[in-house]
Amino acid sequence: IVACLAGVGYTFFMIQKEAGQEGEYRLTADNLRLLSQKVVADARAAKQGDEATFEKLAADRKDFNSELKQMQSVGFAPEVKRIQSAWTPVEASMDTLINAGERIVFLRSVSSELEQNIKPIQSDFAGVVDILRDENVSAETIVAAQKTLWLTERIARNIEKILAGGEESQAAADEFRTDANDFMRIVDALNNGSRIMGVEKMQDADAKELVANASSLFAVVSTSIDEIAGASGELREAALARDAIISGSDQLADAVSALVPAIEKMTVARVGDRGTLMALFGAPGVLAVGLMIVMYRQQSRRVTYTEEGVAEINSALVK
């Protein structure tokens, strides 16, 4: 009887355990679906150049591989193979984007700082132009000072094109390098004079101070001209990788969604297995209860027969 009842208890234990496993499978499938969506969102946000975004992308890649490995260890081979096929190109694009993260963050910081400094730089050089006009200087000197006003605008615009990584990024990088070097040559010519450019050396102290201040504000660009211009190739690849992640997200989402029917199918199959377990262990359980009833009835009969026998003996002794 104890053995039969233990079998019944084991059956219920296994049923509860299987139910918990199915819940874990569904949770893993949900995590994969959410991670596939998160990868796309973080890839889009990577364009903003936030360092935390690239850290999130690296964490997303690690978490997705971990969840996928867990599903692979419990079965679902066709579904996992389909997910892996869709995930492989997305993961490769993520690697490209993550590797370019440091350069993107740097260029975004340069672009942001230059955007804040453009107005002060232009204001300083506008003041220099006004001072030079009041002095007896060559027209080339005034034109050179005026040129810096639109050079800063074009430099900022070309940095944005380099960051975007489009088809114009290489042309923008070449034009940026030329403009940045021109800006620095004009500043040097204003401070020291240049026969080749026809620029005269500034004599006014206020003009010199304005140029020095503008140069310090432009230092965020002037100290990194080669690094900014040389980033165009890497950022172009990063832009292509970002587009590949976005375009491959639909196929990855479809592959992950196929896990849900597979889990449901497995659940239906296990319901049949549970029915078999109940039949195998439920019958002994019923038998155990039947044996207990029979034993109880036999014991009751013994007590009844004993009482009747004692009563007959007592009756005979009294007679």
Side-chain angles (χ1 to χ4, degrees), residues 42 45-57 101-102 104-106 108-109:
D42 289 340
K47 191 176 181 180
Q48 304 303 320
D50 186 1
E51 186 176 359
T53 301
F54 296 96
E55 294 175 355
K56 290 179 182 178
L57 272 173
E102 185 176 354
I104 295 173
V105 171
F106 168 71
R108 179 56 65 186
S109 65

Side-chain angles (χ1 to χ4, degrees), residues 19-241:
Q21 289 176 342
E22 292 164 8
E24 290 178 1
Y25 299 157
R26 289 190 174 89
L27 179 61
T28 301
D30 289 339
N31 288 340
L32 286 172
R33 179 176 56 82
L34 292 173
L35 282 169
S36 65
Q37 296 172 353
K38 191 178 177 184
V39 164
V40 176
D42 289 340
R44 293 182 188 274
K47 191 176 181 180
Q48 304 303 320
D50 186 1
E51 186 176 359
T53 301
F54 296 96
E55 294 175 355
K56 290 179 182 178
L57 272 173
D60 294 343
R61 180 185 57 185
K62 181 180 178 181
D63 292 343
F64 194 97
N65 284 328
S66 177
E67 297 287 352
L68 187 60
K69 186 177 180 181
Q70 183 176 349
M71 291 301 296
Q72 191 174 14
S73 64
V74 297
F76 306 105
E79 291 77 17
V80 170
K81 184 177 180 181
R82 181 182 173 187
I83 294 173
Q84 189 66 58
S85 177
W87 169 247
T88 298
V90 172
E91 185 179 21
S93 298
M94 289 177 68
D95 289 340
T96 301
L97 192 56
I98 292 170
N99 291 335
E102 185 176 354
R103 191 69 63 90
I104 295 173
V105 171
F106 168 71
L107 255 70
R108 179 56 65 186
S109 65
V110 170
S111 177
S112 299
E113 188 171 349
L114 179 60
E115 186 177 355
Q116 294 176 356
N117 293 344
I118 280 180
K119 294 301 181 183
I121 291 173
Q122 291 178 331
S123 177
D124 288 341
F125 273 105
V128 172
V129 171
D130 291 339
I131 293 173
L132 292 176
R133 282 175 177 167
D134 293 337
E135 296 183 351
N136 187 21
V137 297
S138 65
E140 289 81 359
T141 305
I142 297 175
V143 170
Q146 288 176 327
K147 187 177 180 180
T148 58
L149 300 175
W150 57 266
L151 276 178
T152 51
E153 292 280 356
R154 197 162 71 176
I155 287 170
R157 187 166 60 250
N158 283 327
I159 290 177
E160 286 295 328
K161 289 181 180 180
I162 295 171
L163 271 170
E167 295 179 355
E168 300 178 351
S169 62
Q170 186 57 52
D174 295 338
E175 191 173 64
F176 160 80
R177 190 191 298 272
T178 301
D179 290 345
N181 287 327
D182 283 348
F183 186 97
M184 298 306 298
R185 278 195 295 269
I186 290 171
V187 169
D188 182 68
L190 290 173
N191 286 324
N192 304 307
S194 173
R195 285 185 179 181
I196 298 175
M197 297 176 63
V199 176
E200 300 177 16
K201 181 179 179 181
M202 294 182 301
Q203 302 299 328
D204 187 88
D206 291 337
K208 291 181 180 180
E209 183 178 354
L210 289 172
V211 170
N213 184 58
S215 297
S216 65
L217 293 174
F218 191 73
V220 64
V221 175
S222 62
T223 56
S224 308
I225 293 175
D226 291 336
E227 186 175 359
I228 295 171
S232 62
E234 187 176 4
L235 267 62
R236 191 161 54 250
E237 292 179 359
L240 293 174

Side-chain angles (χ1 to χ4, degrees), residues 255-282:
V256 172
S257 298
L259 274 175
V260 177
I263 294 172
E264 294 295 337
K265 185 177 180 180
M266 181 197 67
T267 302
V268 172
R270 284 190 171 180
V271 168
D273 294 340
R274 291 171 187 168
T276 303
L277 287 173
M278 290 299 294
L280 290 174
F281 291 104

Side-chain angles (χ1 to χ4, degrees), residues 261-309:
I263 294 172
E264 294 295 337
K265 185 177 180 180
M266 181 197 67
T267 302
V268 172
R270 284 190 171 180
V271 168
D273 294 340
R274 291 171 187 168
T276 303
L277 287 173
M278 290 299 294
L280 290 174
F281 291 104
V286 173
L287 177 61
V289 174
L291 288 173
M292 292 177 65
I293 293 173
V294 171
M295 291 176 63
Y296 175 76
R297 293 184 64 182
Q298 288 179 347
Q299 185 66 25
S300 297
R301 287 177 182 177
R302 290 194 189 99
V303 172
T304 301
Y305 292 156
T306 301
E307 290 177 350
E308 291 177 354

